Amino acid sequence: MIIKSVMPCTGELRDNEFLLPVRVYYEDTDAGGIVYYANYLKFAERARTEFIRSLGVRQQDELEEENKFGFAVKHCEIDYKMPAVLDDELVVTVQVTGLKGASATMHQEIRRGEDVLAEIDITVVYLSLKQKRPVRIPKELAAKIEQLM
Amino acid sequence: MIIKSVMPCTGELRDNEFLLPVRVYYEDTDAGGIVYYANYLKFAERARTEFIRSLGVRQQDELEEENKFGFAVKHCEIDYKMPAVLDDELVVTVQVTGLKGASATMHQEIRRGEDVLAEIDITVVYLSLKQKRPVRIPKELAAKIEQLM
Amino acid sequence: MIIKSVMPCTGELRDNEFLLPVRVYYEDTDAGGIVYYANYLKFAERARTEFIRSLGVRQQDELEEENKFGFAVKHCEIDYKMPAVLDDELVVTVQVTGLKGASATMHQEIRRGEDVLAEIDITVVYLSLKQKRPVRIPKELAAKIEQLM
Amino acid sequence: MIIKSVMPCTGELRDNEFLLPVRVYYEDTDAGGIVYYANYLKFAERARTEFIRSLGVRQQDELEEENKFGFAVKHCEIDYKMPAVLDDELVVTVQVTGLKGASATMHQEIRRGEDVLAEIDITVVYLSLKQKRPVRIPKELAAKIEQLM
């Protein structure tokens, strides 16, 4: 799986799985010498953002509109299997596992070479930031996501 | 539950539940105008650290010893119920729900007044950082934790 | 200078210098075993926020108003003298050194006991977030700040 | 300056200036809708790390050795000119401006297209992490850095 060197910074889709290369920097680590446990969620969100972007959605556009929209995380489960350390070249994956009305579920992995360092199962909800409540994912976007399941 | 104003910065134990006051600053928020989802895990870790400290353990001491030890998160489940925003005065709780050999489970809540904004269920493992493997929680510490269940 | 134990979480003013106690957690440290260099700026911002709050200004209120306002950092100079480590009890200070129209300058220190770990000189500008340009600091707030110089 | 699309994730050297592409994610922004002021220092450190790596130094190797070494920031001056926002594609630069014994000075810029959003002048010191004191930059590394001035 020496796929990283040819993977673009913006990630890419391979067989319905989105892959983003992520490098571990000092900012990600802690005094235990490993990546701080909350920072895996940052990596995961970068991958989801690039995945959404690869479908043609620009989040900042949605924030700038009169009626702001965005995905918010509703539920998240993380299993930490092995620690990542400084300088690691990781690959963060996104796989859509469900889609229903205003919400979607995704399975994500943090990988280093053949090793899976962490597994994340996440539920995101599409929100109207102004009304602070979930709204149905726009048809066009939902159709694109559905294709990848 | 107007307990915050009298709560020390280092938190305190009330009926087997540890409570830590946490203020939301700009660093914790994101462009959606709410606390970034990974940062609830920072708040949770601050509460666990103060809880452990209240039992008489100083983490930096354990890092400085020849044979370094520390708690690492093995599994984590978060349910996001309501968003926290800038300037919020939160209370982060820790309740020990299980203890076995090298690991402990805890239930944590992020509260704002009467509201529970997030619920976190976490499994931590006591690690030898040098040998990179779980080791039995020291008897004295385990006994102190057990008292609080 | 054993002032920390009696200092409230929200900090306090002593002789025109505002003091905020800050504890170092895992999230603040890096794999070098010390506080990550950018995180001193987080500590500094917490102290400025509590300082402003002590003057009766609530930043979230200003974000929620139709016409949003807030202080933004324009210039910042940091001198790192000694590293802070996990579990340190720090005191972060704020001293107003200048005030002119839309901007203010402040001198800040990160202290551990008698030691000054870092010195920060900062220029903040009062901004209309909607118009994205500096505006004169409101008279009432400016008067309060001026008293502390 | 449409150089970003062809720039590798690990950055590249152009005319003695090292350039690293950096994307702005939610984690980098704050409730003001812009990149949080301390996070520019994270971007700057990523660029310095990739710059050092491009010279053949792997920081994690240096941490794993018996006698740990690493660059630490001694002084830092940042001028914030324009804010970066969510989704921005930035380019972070590194230019070595001085080299002397245990320390080096660098000029860094955060750019978005033609615009310079922030300028950073930084002094780093080569440290023995064990002895916690500056040591002379290894000859081979110093020679490589010198070539780029």
Side-chain angles (χ1 to χ4, degrees):
Chain A
M1 207 184 75
I2 315 176
I3 56 179
K4 288 163 294 181
S5 47
V6 291
M7 201 183 296
C9 302
T10 52
E12 66 184 15
L13 206 60
R14 300 200 180 183
D15 303 330
N16 285 0
E17 189 175 54
F18 187 82
L19 305 174
L20 179 74
V22 166
R23 172 72 76 172
V24 176
Y25 294 108
Y26 264 113
E27 66 187 271
D28 305 312
T29 61
D30 69 23
I34 60 179
V35 169
Y36 183 67
Y37 86 123
N39 292 340
Y40 292 90
L41 291 187
K42 293 186 177 180
F43 299 166
E45 199 261 322
R46 292 181 201 172
R48 293 196 306 276
T49 290
E50 294 298 348
F51 166 63
I52 295 292
R53 194 194 323 280
S54 76
L55 301 179
V57 178
R58 217 177 135 261
Q59 297 186 320
Q60 177 65 11
D61 289 347
E62 309 215 337
L63 282 185
E64 278 168 355
E65 279 180 38
E66 192 54 43
N67 217 333
K68 299 177 181 190
F69 292 104
F71 280 105
V73 176
K74 181 72 192 126
H75 191 86
C76 178
E77 192 167 352
I78 320 165
D79 200 50
Y80 298 92
K81 294 167 177 304
M82 298 169 63
V85 299
L86 188 66
D87 279 343
D88 272 353
E89 281 182 87
L90 306 175
V91 172
V92 186
T93 72
V94 186
Q95 207 163 7
V96 181
T97 52
L99 185 67
K100 200 175 71 177
S103 76
T105 54
M106 299 175 186
H107 179 73
Q108 300 196 257
E109 292 184 359
I110 313 286
R111 296 182 193 149
R112 183 181 53 210
E114 303 276 332
D115 294 322
V116 176
L117 306 188
E119 288 191 79
I120 301 172
D121 282 289
I122 211 156
T123 306
V124 296
V125 178
Y126 199 69
L127 281 184
S128 157
L129 297 182
K130 211 164 185 178
Q131 304 167 51
K132 291 180 184 184
R133 59 172 193 76
V135 293
R136 182 170 282 276
I137 298 171
K139 248 185 194 164
E140 200 191 357
L141 176 56
K144 281 179 183 170
I145 294 175
E146 206 151 31
Q147 276 188 332
L148 300 172
M149 292 176 58
Chain B
M1 209 184 73
I2 314 173
I3 56 179
K4 288 164 297 183
S5 47
V6 291
M7 201 183 296
C9 303
T10 52
E12 67 182 15
L13 205 60
R14 301 200 180 183
D15 303 329
N16 286 358
E17 189 176 56
F18 186 82
L19 305 173
L20 180 74
V22 167
R23 171 73 75 172
V24 176
Y25 294 108
Y26 263 113
E27 65 187 272
D28 306 310
T29 60
D30 69 21
I34 60 179
V35 169
Y36 183 67
Y37 87 124
N39 292 341
Y40 292 90
L41 292 187
K42 293 187 177 180
F43 298 165
E45 199 261 324
R46 291 181 201 172
R48 293 197 305 277
T49 290
E50 294 298 349
F51 166 62
I52 294 292
R53 194 195 322 278
S54 76
L55 300 178
V57 178
R58 216 177 134 259
Q59 297 187 320
Q60 177 65 8
D61 288 347
E62 310 218 335
L63 282 183
E64 278 168 354
E65 279 179 39
E66 193 52 45
N67 218 333
K68 299 178 181 189
F69 292 105
F71 280 106
V73 176
K74 182 72 194 127
H75 190 87
C76 179
E77 192 168 352
I78 321 165
D79 200 51
Y80 298 91
K81 294 168 176 303
M82 297 168 65
V85 299
L86 187 66
D87 280 341
D88 272 354
E89 281 181 87
L90 307 175
V91 172
V92 186
T93 72
V94 186
Q95 206 162 9
V96 180
T97 52
L99 184 67
K100 202 175 70 180
S103 75
T105 53
M106 297 173 188
H107 179 75
Q108 298 195 258
E109 293 183 359
I110 313 284
R111 296 183 193 149
R112 182 180 53 209
E114 303 275 332
D115 294 322
V116 176
L117 307 189
E119 287 191 80
I120 301 172
D121 282 288
I122 211 155
T123 306
V124 296
V125 179
Y126 199 68
L127 281 184
S128 157
L129 296 182
K130 212 165 186 180
Q131 303 167 52
K132 292 182 182 180
R133 59 172 192 74
V135 294
R136 181 171 282 274
I137 299 171
K139 246 185 196 167
E140 200 190 358
L141 176 54
K144 281 180 184 170
I145 294 176
E146 206 152 29
Q147 277 188 331
L148 300 173
M149 290 174 59
Chain C
M1 204 183 80
I2 314 175
I3 56 179
K4 286 165 296 182
S5 48
V6 292
M7 201 184 294
C9 303
T10 50
E12 65 182 16
L13 206 60
R14 299 198 181 185
D15 303 329
N16 285 359
E17 187 175 56
F18 187 82
L19 305 174
L20 179 74
V22 167
R23 171 74 76 171
V24 176
Y25 294 108
Y26 264 112
E27 66 188 271
D28 305 312
T29 60
D30 69 21
I34 59 177
V35 169
Y36 182 67
Y37 87 124
N39 292 340
Y40 292 90
L41 291 187
K42 292 186 178 182
F43 298 165
E45 199 261 321
R46 291 181 201 172
R48 293 196 305 276
T49 291
E50 294 298 348
F51 166 63
I52 295 292
R53 195 195 322 279
S54 76
L55 300 179
V57 178
R58 217 177 134 260
Q59 296 186 322
Q60 177 66 11
D61 289 346
E62 308 215 337
L63 282 184
E64 278 168 354
E65 277 180 40
E66 194 51 46
N67 218 334
K68 299 177 181 191
F69 292 104
F71 280 105
V73 176
K74 181 74 193 125
H75 191 86
C76 178
E77 192 167 353
I78 320 165
D79 200 50
Y80 298 92
K81 293 167 178 302
M82 299 170 63
V85 299
L86 188 65
D87 280 342
D88 272 354
E89 281 182 86
L90 307 175
V91 171
V92 187
T93 72
V94 186
Q95 208 163 6
V96 181
T97 51
L99 183 68
K100 198 175 74 178
S103 75
T105 54
M106 298 174 189
H107 179 74
Q108 298 196 259
E109 293 184 357
I110 314 283
R111 297 182 192 151
R112 184 181 52 210
E114 303 277 332
D115 293 323
V116 177
L117 307 188
E119 288 192 79
I120 302 172
D121 282 289
I122 210 155
T123 306
V124 296
V125 178
Y126 199 69
L127 280 184
S128 156
L129 296 181
K130 212 166 185 177
Q131 304 167 50
K132 291 178 185 185
R133 58 171 194 76
V135 292
R136 181 170 283 274
I137 298 172
K139 247 184 197 167
E140 199 191 358
L141 176 55
K144 282 180 183 171
I145 294 175
E146 207 151 31
Q147 277 189 329
L148 300 173
M149 292 176 57
Chain D
M1 210 183 75
I2 313 177
I3 56 178
K4 288 164 297 182
S5 47
V6 292
M7 201 184 297
C9 302
T10 51
E12 67 182 16
L13 205 59
R14 301 198 179 183
D15 303 329
N16 285 0
E17 188 175 56
F18 186 81
L19 305 174
L20 179 73
V22 166
R23 171 73 76 171
V24 176
Y25 294 109
Y26 263 113
E27 65 187 272
D28 306 311
T29 60
D30 69 22
I34 59 178
V35 169
Y36 183 66
Y37 87 124
N39 292 340
Y40 292 90
L41 291 187
K42 293 187 177 180
F43 298 166
E45 199 261 323
R46 292 182 202 172
R48 294 197 305 276
T49 290
E50 294 298 348
F51 166 63
I52 295 291
R53 195 195 321 280
S54 76
L55 300 179
V57 177
R58 214 177 137 260
Q59 296 186 319
Q60 177 64 11
D61 288 347
E62 309 216 337
L63 282 184
E64 278 167 355
E65 279 179 38
E66 194 53 42
N67 218 332
K68 299 176 182 190
F69 292 104
F71 280 106
V73 176
K74 183 72 193 127
H75 191 87
C76 179
E77 192 167 353
I78 320 163
D79 200 50
Y80 298 93
K81 293 168 177 303
M82 297 169 63
V85 298
L86 188 66
D87 280 342
D88 273 353
E89 281 181 270
L90 307 175
V91 171
V92 186
T93 73
V94 187
Q95 207 162 7
V96 180
T97 52
L99 184 69
K100 200 175 70 179
S103 75
T105 53
M106 299 175 187
H107 180 73
Q108 300 197 257
E109 293 184 359
I110 314 283
R111 298 183 192 148
R112 183 180 54 208
E114 304 277 332
D115 293 323
V116 177
L117 306 189
E119 287 191 80
I120 301 172
D121 282 288
I122 210 154
T123 306
V124 295
V125 178
Y126 199 68
L127 280 185
S128 157
L129 296 182
K130 213 166 184 177
Q131 302 165 54
K132 292 180 182 181
R133 58 173 193 75
V135 293
R136 181 170 283 274
I137 299 172
K139 247 186 196 168
E140 200 191 355
L141 176 55
K144 282 180 183 169
I145 293 174
E146 206 152 30
Q147 276 189 331
L148 299 172
M149 290 174 58

